[in-house]
Amino acid sequence: MKLALAVAFLSLAPSVLHAGTTIHVPDDVATIQGAIALAQDGDTVLVAPGTYPEALDFLGKAITVTSAGGAALTTIDAATAFDSAVTFHTGEGPGSVLRGFTVQGGDSSQRAGGISCFGTAPTSPLVQHCIIRDNRTNLGLAGG
């Protein structure tokens, strides 16, 4: 019985011990995508004001990516990526949060240019306080 309880505790320990870390961009990690790659479910990626020339993929993680200065001061600009600016495609739910960014420069021939939600599993991320502008798609579906 004691062995069964010990095994049960150890199997739960990693999720219980992870209390949600804040990863600062660019202080801890240079890019937002780099911080997303390091993040675990429950973590927060806190982004300093500025323009970040990259496209983001949430990688199926239930994390919060938020700006410290709001959408007026913090921009995701995917103009050099030739893809959607932000992609949710691995069953992300409301625990996957994008908050406080201007999202621009996305240009995808396969999906929406700005924020794209697609995949084999349904996606329903939470997008709050974002400005989505100047994105394109060739499909006629949506630039945003």
Side-chain angles (χ1 to χ4, degrees), residues 23-25 29-40 45 61 63:
I23 303 168
H24 296 84
V25 176
V29 180
T31 65
I32 302 169
Q33 187 62 51
I36 291 170
L38 290 175
Q40 298 179 39
V45 175
K61 296 181 179 185
I63 60 173

Side-chain angles (χ1 to χ4, degrees), residues 40-125:
Q40 298 179 39
D41 288 350
D43 286 353
T44 297
V45 175
L46 182 61
V47 182
T51 298
Y52 296 84
E54 57 183 308
L56 305 182
D57 182 337
F58 265 63
L59 304 172
K61 296 181 179 185
I63 60 173
T64 296
V65 177
T66 189
S67 68
L73 300 176
T74 316
T75 301
I76 299 164
D77 189 344
T80 59
F82 302 107
D83 199 357
S84 301
V86 180
T87 301
F88 298 96
H89 67 96
T90 318
E92 291 89 350
S96 300
V97 179
L98 180 70
R99 182 182 299 126
F101 292 91
T102 293
V103 178
Q104 68 185 32
D107 187 357
S108 177
S109 61
Q110 302 296 315
R111 301 176 293 273
I115 297 176
S116 182
C117 299
F118 76 97
T120 55
T123 60
S124 57

